[in-house]
Amino acid sequence: DVKVTQSSRYLVKRTGEKVFLECVQDMDHENMFWYRQDPGLGLRLIYFSYDVKMKEKGDIPEGYSVSREKKERFSLILESASTNQTSMYLCASRPQMNTEAFFGQGTRLTVV
Amino acid sequence: QKEVEQDPGPLSVPEGAIVSLNCTYSNSAFQYFMWYRQYSRKGPELLMYTYSSGNKEDGRFTAQVDKSSKYISLFIRDSQPSDSATYLCAMILGGGADGLTFGKGTHLIIQP
């Protein structure tokens, strides 16, 4: 089975802190994604990566950056956390284009 | 334009009933379609993946795609209380690097 693991289930950070969310997949997938999920807004794509060191902006990249130094790991970085970044963050991976994606268990981030 | 419409519910049905969940979309370029199930505070879990118009069956679940009407459905037979969750439709444009576009999800409640 595909395993996508996010480093934390729950996280509480202070406004202005730099926050790292880590995601690791164990199936040698080419593509990895970061979404955030908010009530009434659904899942929105922040960034995605189709190869090591490659990244593409999604629909809501402002306030975020990403890093993909190794194929199995995709990190989401909040340079200076703000309260409006309180959300559920979901990492996903998929083997290639036009295939289904597999999700991690999610990180519920609260910024206070 | 990327827009997927999905009734948020809640949809409440008695145990054993047939459930019908639906999504409509406006962009005819969407080519690949998925259904995910998401339990509260968990990541989405892939249920079905389809490409062509028509039906695809897996156990109690049937996914239906009508590309001419830009309409997809998920049917659940013999519904169980454990089916209570949020169901998300998702779709991919295809042809290149792209994230999934999601509906906002339908909250389903199966009453024992």
Short mmCIF file of all heavy atoms in Angstrom, two decimals, chain A residues 1-56:
data_model
loop_
_atom_site.label_atom_id
_atom_site.label_comp_id
_atom_site.label_asym_id
_atom_site.label_seq_id
_atom_site.Cartn_x
_atom_site.Cartn_y
_atom_site.Cartn_z
N ASP A 1 0.83 -1.20 0.00
CA ASP A 1 0.00 0.00 0.00
C ASP A 1 0.87 1.25 0.00
O ASP A 1 1.96 1.27 0.56
CB ASP A 1 -0.89 0.04 1.25
CG ASP A 1 -2.07 -0.91 1.14
OD1 ASP A 1 -2.27 -1.44 0.04
OD2 ASP A 1 -2.76 -1.09 2.15
N VAL A 2 0.36 2.27 -0.65
CA VAL A 2 1.04 3.56 -0.67
C VAL A 2 0.99 4.17 0.72
O VAL A 2 -0.04 4.15 1.38
CB VAL A 2 0.37 4.52 -1.67
CG1 VAL A 2 1.00 5.89 -1.62
CG2 VAL A 2 0.45 3.93 -3.07
N LYS A 3 2.12 4.70 1.14
CA LYS A 3 2.15 5.34 2.45
C LYS A 3 2.67 6.77 2.29
O LYS A 3 3.77 6.99 1.80
CB LYS A 3 3.08 4.57 3.39
CG LYS A 3 2.98 4.97 4.84
CD LYS A 3 1.92 4.21 5.57
CE LYS A 3 1.76 4.70 6.99
NZ LYS A 3 2.62 4.08 7.94
N VAL A 4 1.82 7.72 2.68
CA VAL A 4 2.21 9.13 2.71
C VAL A 4 2.14 9.56 4.16
O VAL A 4 1.07 9.48 4.78
CB VAL A 4 1.28 9.99 1.83
CG1 VAL A 4 1.72 11.45 1.87
CG2 VAL A 4 1.28 9.48 0.39
N THR A 5 3.26 9.99 4.69
CA THR A 5 3.34 10.29 6.11
C THR A 5 3.66 11.76 6.33
O THR A 5 4.64 12.28 5.78
CB THR A 5 4.43 9.43 6.78
OG1 THR A 5 4.15 8.05 6.54
CG2 THR A 5 4.47 9.67 8.27
N GLN A 6 2.82 12.40 7.11
CA GLN A 6 3.07 13.79 7.50
C GLN A 6 3.63 13.80 8.91
O GLN A 6 3.19 13.03 9.77
CB GLN A 6 1.78 14.61 7.40
CG GLN A 6 1.31 14.72 5.96
CD GLN A 6 0.07 15.56 5.79
OE1 GLN A 6 -0.89 15.14 5.14
NE2 GLN A 6 0.07 16.76 6.35
N SER A 7 4.58 14.69 9.15
CA SER A 7 5.39 14.60 10.37
C SER A 7 4.59 14.86 11.64
O SER A 7 4.91 14.31 12.69
CB SER A 7 6.55 15.58 10.29
OG SER A 7 6.08 16.88 10.00
N SER A 8 3.55 15.67 11.56
CA SER A 8 2.78 15.99 12.76
C SER A 8 1.29 15.89 12.46
O SER A 8 0.85 16.22 11.37
CB SER A 8 3.09 17.41 13.25
OG SER A 8 4.47 17.59 13.47
N ARG A 9 0.49 15.44 13.43
CA ARG A 9 -0.96 15.46 13.29
C ARG A 9 -1.52 16.80 13.73
O ARG A 9 -2.44 17.33 13.11
CB ARG A 9 -1.60 14.34 14.13
CG ARG A 9 -1.40 12.95 13.60
CD ARG A 9 -2.11 12.71 12.27
NE ARG A 9 -3.52 13.07 12.28
CZ ARG A 9 -4.49 12.30 12.76
NH1 ARG A 9 -4.22 11.13 13.29
NH2 ARG A 9 -5.74 12.71 12.72
N TYR A 10 -0.96 17.34 14.82
CA TYR A 10 -1.42 18.60 15.36
C TYR A 10 -0.20 19.48 15.67
O TYR A 10 0.81 18.99 16.15
CB TYR A 10 -2.23 18.40 16.65
CG TYR A 10 -3.46 17.53 16.45
CD1 TYR A 10 -3.42 16.17 16.72
CD2 TYR A 10 -4.66 18.08 16.00
CE1 TYR A 10 -4.53 15.38 16.52
CE2 TYR A 10 -5.78 17.29 15.80
CZ TYR A 10 -5.71 15.94 16.06
OH TYR A 10 -6.82 15.16 15.87
N LEU A 11 -0.36 20.77 15.39
CA LEU A 11 0.74 21.70 15.60
C LEU A 11 0.16 23.04 16.03
O LEU A 11 -0.83 23.51 15.44
CB LEU A 11 1.49 21.87 14.27
CG LEU A 11 3.00 22.09 14.23
CD1 LEU A 11 3.73 21.05 15.06
CD2 LEU A 11 3.47 22.04 12.79
N VAL A 12 0.77 23.66 17.06
CA VAL A 12 0.37 24.99 17.49
C VAL A 12 1.60 25.88 17.41
O VAL A 12 2.63 25.56 18.02
CB VAL A 12 -0.21 24.99 18.92
CG1 VAL A 12 -0.61 26.40 19.32
CG2 VAL A 12 -1.42 24.05 19.01
N LYS A 13 1.50 26.97 16.68
CA LYS A 13 2.62 27.88 16.50
C LYS A 13 2.17 29.31 16.78
O LYS A 13 0.99 29.63 16.70
CB LYS A 13 3.17 27.78 15.07
CG LYS A 13 3.77 26.42 14.75
CD LYS A 13 5.04 26.18 15.52
CE LYS A 13 5.66 24.84 15.17
NZ LYS A 13 6.91 24.58 15.95
N ARG A 14 3.16 30.16 17.05
CA ARG A 14 2.86 31.57 17.32
C ARG A 14 3.00 32.39 16.05
O ARG A 14 3.78 32.06 15.14
CB ARG A 14 3.80 32.11 18.39
CG ARG A 14 3.62 31.45 19.75
CD ARG A 14 4.35 32.23 20.83
NE ARG A 14 4.13 31.60 22.13
CZ ARG A 14 3.07 31.82 22.88
NH1 ARG A 14 2.12 32.64 22.47
NH2 ARG A 14 2.96 31.22 24.05
N THR A 15 2.24 33.46 15.99
CA THR A 15 2.33 34.39 14.86
C THR A 15 3.77 34.86 14.68
O THR A 15 4.45 35.19 15.65
CB THR A 15 1.43 35.61 15.13
OG1 THR A 15 0.08 35.17 15.31
CG2 THR A 15 1.49 36.58 13.98
N GLY A 16 4.23 34.81 13.41
CA GLY A 16 5.58 35.25 13.10
C GLY A 16 6.61 34.14 13.09
O GLY A 16 7.73 34.34 12.59
N GLU A 17 6.26 32.99 13.62
CA GLU A 17 7.20 31.87 13.62
C GLU A 17 7.38 31.30 12.23
O GLU A 17 6.47 31.36 11.39
CB GLU A 17 6.68 30.75 14.54
CG GLU A 17 7.05 30.88 16.00
CD GLU A 17 6.80 29.59 16.76
OE1 GLU A 17 7.65 28.69 16.69
OE2 GLU A 17 5.74 29.50 17.40
N LYS A 18 8.53 30.71 11.98
CA LYS A 18 8.76 29.96 10.75
C LYS A 18 8.35 28.52 11.02
O LYS A 18 8.78 27.91 12.00
CB LYS A 18 10.23 30.04 10.34
CG LYS A 18 10.52 29.50 8.95
CD LYS A 18 11.93 29.85 8.51
CE LYS A 18 12.19 29.45 7.06
NZ LYS A 18 13.53 29.89 6.59
N VAL A 19 7.50 27.98 10.15
CA VAL A 19 6.92 26.67 10.37
C VAL A 19 7.28 25.74 9.22
O VAL A 19 7.19 26.13 8.04
CB VAL A 19 5.39 26.76 10.50
CG1 VAL A 19 4.78 25.38 10.76
CG2 VAL A 19 5.00 27.73 11.61
N PHE A 20 7.68 24.54 9.57
CA PHE A 20 8.01 23.51 8.57
C PHE A 20 7.03 22.35 8.71
O PHE A 20 6.89 21.78 9.79
CB PHE A 20 9.43 22.98 8.78
CG PHE A 20 10.50 23.99 8.51
CD1 PHE A 20 10.92 24.86 9.50
CD2 PHE A 20 11.11 24.07 7.27
CE1 PHE A 20 11.92 25.79 9.27
CE2 PHE A 20 12.11 24.99 7.02
CZ PHE A 20 12.51 25.85 8.02
N LEU A 21 6.38 22.01 7.61
CA LEU A 21 5.54 20.82 7.56
C LEU A 21 6.21 19.84 6.61
O LEU A 21 6.51 20.17 5.47
CB LEU A 21 4.13 21.15 7.07
CG LEU A 21 3.35 22.19 7.87
CD1 LEU A 21 1.95 22.37 7.29
CD2 LEU A 21 3.27 21.82 9.33
N GLU A 22 6.43 18.62 7.13
CA GLU A 22 7.18 17.63 6.36
C GLU A 22 6.26 16.52 5.86
O GLU A 22 5.33 16.11 6.56
CB GLU A 22 8.28 17.02 7.22
CG GLU A 22 9.21 18.01 7.87
CD GLU A 22 10.20 18.59 6.89
OE1 GLU A 22 10.38 18.01 5.80
OE2 GLU A 22 10.79 19.64 7.19
N CYS A 23 6.57 16.02 4.68
CA CYS A 23 5.79 14.94 4.09
C CYS A 23 6.75 13.96 3.42
O CYS A 23 7.64 14.38 2.66
CB CYS A 23 4.81 15.50 3.07
SG CYS A 23 3.85 14.26 2.17
N VAL A 24 6.54 12.68 3.69
CA VAL A 24 7.38 11.64 3.10
C VAL A 24 6.48 10.57 2.48
O VAL A 24 5.52 10.13 3.10
CB VAL A 24 8.29 10.99 4.16
CG1 VAL A 24 9.10 9.86 3.55
CG2 VAL A 24 9.22 12.03 4.77
N GLN A 25 6.83 10.15 1.25
CA GLN A 25 6.11 9.04 0.61
C GLN A 25 7.10 7.92 0.30
O GLN A 25 8.27 8.18 -0.01
CB GLN A 25 5.35 9.51 -0.64
CG GLN A 25 6.16 10.33 -1.62
CD GLN A 25 6.76 9.55 -2.76
OE1 GLN A 25 6.59 8.33 -2.88
NE2 GLN A 25 7.48 10.25 -3.62
N ASP A 26 6.59 6.70 0.36
CA ASP A 26 7.48 5.54 0.26
C ASP A 26 7.32 4.76 -1.04
O ASP A 26 7.74 3.60 -1.13
CB ASP A 26 7.26 4.62 1.47
CG ASP A 26 5.88 3.97 1.48
OD1 ASP A 26 5.05 4.31 0.61
OD2 ASP A 26 5.64 3.14 2.36
N MET A 27 6.69 5.37 -2.06
CA MET A 27 6.40 4.62 -3.28
C MET A 27 7.10 5.18 -4.51
O MET A 27 6.68 4.90 -5.64
CB MET A 27 4.88 4.57 -3.52
CG MET A 27 4.17 3.67 -2.55
SD MET A 27 4.74 1.95 -2.65
CE MET A 27 4.13 1.48 -4.26
N ASP A 28 8.12 5.98 -4.32
CA ASP A 28 8.90 6.49 -5.45
C ASP A 28 8.05 7.29 -6.44
O ASP A 28 8.29 7.27 -7.65
CB ASP A 28 9.58 5.32 -6.19
CG ASP A 28 10.78 5.76 -7.01
OD1 ASP A 28 11.50 6.67 -6.55
OD2 ASP A 28 11.00 5.22 -8.12
N HIS A 29 7.07 8.00 -5.93
CA HIS A 29 6.19 8.80 -6.78
C HIS A 29 6.89 10.05 -7.29
O HIS A 29 7.66 10.68 -6.56
CB HIS A 29 4.93 9.20 -6.02
CG HIS A 29 3.97 8.07 -5.83
ND1 HIS A 29 2.81 8.21 -5.10
CD2 HIS A 29 3.97 6.80 -6.29
CE1 HIS A 29 2.15 7.07 -5.12
NE2 HIS A 29 2.83 6.20 -5.83
N GLU A 30 6.59 10.40 -8.54
CA GLU A 30 7.21 11.59 -9.13
C GLU A 30 6.61 12.88 -8.57
O GLU A 30 7.31 13.86 -8.38
CB GLU A 30 6.99 11.57 -10.65
CG GLU A 30 7.52 10.33 -11.36
CD GLU A 30 9.03 10.29 -11.36
OE1 GLU A 30 9.66 11.36 -11.31
OE2 GLU A 30 9.59 9.17 -11.38
N ASN A 31 5.29 12.88 -8.40
CA ASN A 31 4.57 14.12 -8.10
C ASN A 31 4.13 14.18 -6.64
O ASN A 31 3.63 13.21 -6.09
CB ASN A 31 3.31 14.19 -8.97
CG ASN A 31 3.63 14.06 -10.44
OD1 ASN A 31 4.05 15.02 -11.06
ND2 ASN A 31 3.44 12.87 -10.98
N MET A 32 4.31 15.35 -6.06
CA MET A 32 3.85 15.57 -4.70
C MET A 32 3.16 16.92 -4.60
O MET A 32 3.49 17.85 -5.36
CB MET A 32 5.02 15.48 -3.71
CG MET A 32 5.66 14.10 -3.68
SD MET A 32 6.90 13.87 -2.41
CE MET A 32 5.85 13.74 -0.94
N PHE A 33 2.20 17.02 -3.67
CA PHE A 33 1.32 18.18 -3.59
C PHE A 33 1.11 18.60 -2.14
O PHE A 33 1.11 17.77 -1.24
CB PHE A 33 -0.06 17.84 -4.17
CG PHE A 33 -0.03 17.30 -5.58
CD1 PHE A 33 0.21 15.97 -5.82
CD2 PHE A 33 -0.24 18.15 -6.65
CE1 PHE A 33 0.23 15.47 -7.13
CE2 PHE A 33 -0.22 17.66 -7.95
CZ PHE A 33 0.02 16.32 -8.18
N TRP A 34 0.88 19.88 -1.95
CA TRP A 34 0.40 20.41 -0.68
C TRP A 34 -0.91 21.14 -0.91
O TRP A 34 -1.01 22.02 -1.78
CB TRP A 34 1.40 21.37 -0.05
CG TRP A 34 2.47 20.69 0.74
CD1 TRP A 34 3.78 20.52 0.39
CD2 TRP A 34 2.33 20.09 2.03
NE1 TRP A 34 4.45 19.84 1.36
CE2 TRP A 34 3.59 19.57 2.39
CE3 TRP A 34 1.27 19.94 2.92
CZ2 TRP A 34 3.82 18.92 3.60
CZ3 TRP A 34 1.49 19.29 4.12
CH2 TRP A 34 2.74 18.80 4.45
N TYR A 35 -1.93 20.74 -0.12
CA TYR A 35 -3.23 21.39 -0.12
C TYR A 35 -3.51 21.92 1.29
O TYR A 35 -3.00 21.40 2.27
CB TYR A 35 -4.35 20.40 -0.46
CG TYR A 35 -4.38 19.91 -1.88
CD1 TYR A 35 -3.61 18.81 -2.27
CD2 TYR A 35 -5.20 20.52 -2.82
CE1 TYR A 35 -3.66 18.35 -3.57
CE2 TYR A 35 -5.25 20.05 -4.13
CZ TYR A 35 -4.47 18.97 -4.49
OH TYR A 35 -4.51 18.51 -5.78
N ARG A 36 -4.38 22.92 1.36
CA ARG A 36 -4.99 23.25 2.63
C ARG A 36 -6.50 23.07 2.50
O ARG A 36 -7.05 23.24 1.41
CB ARG A 36 -4.63 24.65 3.12
CG ARG A 36 -5.10 25.80 2.30
CD ARG A 36 -4.74 27.14 2.95
NE ARG A 36 -5.61 27.49 4.05
CZ ARG A 36 -5.47 28.57 4.82
NH1 ARG A 36 -4.48 29.42 4.59
NH2 ARG A 36 -6.32 28.81 5.80
N GLN A 37 -7.13 22.71 3.62
CA GLN A 37 -8.56 22.44 3.61
C GLN A 37 -9.22 23.26 4.68
O GLN A 37 -8.85 23.18 5.86
CB GLN A 37 -8.82 20.94 3.85
CG GLN A 37 -10.28 20.55 3.73
CD GLN A 37 -10.47 19.05 3.90
OE1 GLN A 37 -9.73 18.39 4.61
NE2 GLN A 37 -11.49 18.51 3.22
N ASP A 38 -10.21 24.04 4.29
CA ASP A 38 -10.93 24.91 5.22
C ASP A 38 -12.42 24.73 5.03
O ASP A 38 -12.90 24.53 3.90
CB ASP A 38 -10.56 26.38 4.95
CG ASP A 38 -9.07 26.63 5.11
OD1 ASP A 38 -8.61 26.65 6.25
OD2 ASP A 38 -8.38 26.79 4.08
N PRO A 39 -13.19 24.81 6.12
CA PRO A 39 -14.64 24.65 6.03
C PRO A 39 -15.25 25.64 5.04
O PRO A 39 -14.93 26.82 5.07
CB PRO A 39 -15.11 24.93 7.46
CG PRO A 39 -13.93 24.63 8.31
CD PRO A 39 -12.73 25.01 7.51
N GLY A 40 -16.07 25.12 4.16
CA GLY A 40 -16.74 25.97 3.18
C GLY A 40 -15.91 26.31 1.96
O GLY A 40 -16.44 26.80 0.96
N LEU A 41 -14.61 26.05 2.04
CA LEU A 41 -13.73 26.36 0.90
C LEU A 41 -13.17 25.11 0.24
O LEU A 41 -12.63 25.17 -0.87
CB LEU A 41 -12.57 27.25 1.35
CG LEU A 41 -12.96 28.62 1.89
CD1 LEU A 41 -11.73 29.38 2.38
CD2 LEU A 41 -13.68 29.45 0.82
N GLY A 42 -13.24 23.99 0.92
CA GLY A 42 -12.74 22.75 0.35
C GLY A 42 -11.22 22.68 0.33
O GLY A 42 -10.54 23.39 1.08
N LEU A 43 -10.69 21.83 -0.54
CA LEU A 43 -9.25 21.68 -0.69
C LEU A 43 -8.73 22.65 -1.74
O LEU A 43 -9.28 22.72 -2.84
CB LEU A 43 -8.88 20.26 -1.12
CG LEU A 43 -8.79 19.21 -0.02
CD1 LEU A 43 -10.16 18.66 0.30
CD2 LEU A 43 -7.84 18.09 -0.42
N ARG A 44 -7.69 23.36 -1.38
CA ARG A 44 -7.08 24.30 -2.33
C ARG A 44 -5.59 24.00 -2.45
O ARG A 44 -4.91 23.79 -1.45
CB ARG A 44 -7.30 25.74 -1.85
CG ARG A 44 -8.77 26.16 -1.88
CD ARG A 44 -8.93 27.58 -1.37
NE ARG A 44 -8.68 27.68 0.06
CZ ARG A 44 -8.50 28.82 0.71
NH1 ARG A 44 -8.54 29.97 0.06
NH2 ARG A 44 -8.30 28.82 2.01
N LEU A 45 -5.11 23.99 -3.69
CA LEU A 45 -3.74 23.61 -3.98
C LEU A 45 -2.80 24.77 -3.69
O LEU A 45 -2.96 25.87 -4.22
CB LEU A 45 -3.62 23.18 -5.43
CG LEU A 45 -2.25 22.72 -5.91
CD1 LEU A 45 -1.81 21.46 -5.16
CD2 LEU A 45 -2.28 22.44 -7.42
N ILE A 46 -1.77 24.50 -2.88
CA ILE A 46 -0.79 25.53 -2.52
C ILE A 46 0.41 25.46 -3.47
O ILE A 46 0.75 26.46 -4.13
CB ILE A 46 -0.32 25.34 -1.06
CG1 ILE A 46 -1.50 25.33 -0.10
CG2 ILE A 46 0.65 26.47 -0.67
CD1 ILE A 46 -1.13 24.94 1.34
N TYR A 47 1.05 24.32 -3.50
CA TYR A 47 2.20 24.08 -4.37
C TYR A 47 2.21 22.62 -4.79
O TYR A 47 1.68 21.77 -4.09
CB TYR A 47 3.52 24.37 -3.63
CG TYR A 47 4.08 25.76 -3.76
CD1 TYR A 47 3.83 26.71 -2.78
CD2 TYR A 47 4.88 26.10 -4.85
CE1 TYR A 47 4.36 27.99 -2.89
CE2 TYR A 47 5.41 27.38 -4.96
CZ TYR A 47 5.15 28.32 -3.97
OH TYR A 47 5.68 29.59 -4.08
N PHE A 48 2.87 22.35 -5.91
CA PHE A 48 3.14 20.97 -6.24
C PHE A 48 4.53 20.85 -6.88
O PHE A 48 5.13 21.85 -7.30
CB PHE A 48 2.05 20.35 -7.12
CG PHE A 48 1.90 20.95 -8.49
CD1 PHE A 48 2.49 20.35 -9.59
CD2 PHE A 48 1.11 22.08 -8.68
CE1 PHE A 48 2.32 20.89 -10.86
CE2 PHE A 48 0.94 22.62 -9.95
CZ PHE A 48 1.54 22.02 -11.03
N SER A 49 5.01 19.63 -6.93
CA SER A 49 6.34 19.34 -7.46
C SER A 49 6.27 18.08 -8.30
O SER A 49 5.69 17.08 -7.88
CB SER A 49 7.33 19.14 -6.31
OG SER A 49 8.55 18.61 -6.79
N TYR A 50 6.84 18.13 -9.50
CA TYR A 50 6.81 16.97 -10.37
C TYR A 50 8.19 16.32 -10.51
O TYR A 50 8.36 15.38 -11.28
CB TYR A 50 6.24 17.32 -11.74
CG TYR A 50 6.91 18.48 -12.43
CD1 TYR A 50 8.00 18.29 -13.27
CD2 TYR A 50 6.44 19.78 -12.25
CE1 TYR A 50 8.61 19.35 -13.90
CE2 TYR A 50 7.04 20.85 -12.87
CZ TYR A 50 8.13 20.63 -13.69
OH TYR A 50 8.73 21.70 -14.31
N ASP A 51 9.16 16.84 -9.75
CA ASP A 51 10.49 16.23 -9.78
C ASP A 51 11.31 16.86 -8.66
O ASP A 51 10.95 17.94 -8.13
CB ASP A 51 11.17 16.47 -11.13
CG ASP A 51 12.27 15.46 -11.43
OD1 ASP A 51 12.62 14.67 -10.52
OD2 ASP A 51 12.77 15.46 -12.56
N VAL A 52 12.41 16.23 -8.34
CA VAL A 52 13.31 16.79 -7.33
C VAL A 52 13.74 18.20 -7.75
O VAL A 52 14.05 18.44 -8.91
CB VAL A 52 14.53 15.89 -7.15
CG1 VAL A 52 15.54 16.51 -6.19
CG2 VAL A 52 14.12 14.52 -6.65
N LYS A 53 13.71 19.10 -6.79
CA LYS A 53 14.11 20.51 -6.96
C LYS A 53 13.17 21.29 -7.88
O LYS A 53 13.42 22.46 -8.16
CB LYS A 53 15.55 20.63 -7.45
CG LYS A 53 16.57 20.08 -6.47
CD LYS A 53 17.98 20.46 -6.85
CE LYS A 53 19.00 19.83 -5.91
NZ LYS A 53 18.88 20.35 -4.55
N MET A 54 12.10 20.67 -8.37
CA MET A 54 11.14 21.38 -9.22
C MET A 54 9.90 21.71 -8.40
O MET A 54 9.47 20.91 -7.56
CB MET A 54 10.75 20.53 -10.42
CG MET A 54 11.92 20.06 -11.26
SD MET A 54 12.92 21.40 -11.90
CE MET A 54 11.81 22.10 -13.09
N LYS A 55 9.33 22.88 -8.63
CA LYS A 55 8.11 23.26 -7.92
C LYS A 55 7.27 24.15 -8.82
O LYS A 55 7.79 24.87 -9.67
CB LYS A 55 8.46 23.99 -6.62
CG LYS A 55 9.26 25.26 -6.82
CD LYS A 55 9.66 25.86 -5.49
CE LYS A 55 10.48 27.14 -5.70
NZ LYS A 55 10.97 27.72 -4.42
N GLU A 56 5.98 24.07 -8.59
CA GLU A 56 5.04 24.90 -9.33
C GLU A 56 4.03 25.49 -8.35
O GLU A 56 3.58 24.79 -7.44
CB GLU A 56 4.28 24.07 -10.38
CG GLU A 56 5.13 23.54 -11.51
CD GLU A 56 5.51 24.61 -12.52
OE1 GLU A 56 4.87 25.67 -12.52
OE2 GLU A 56 6.45 24.36 -13.31
#
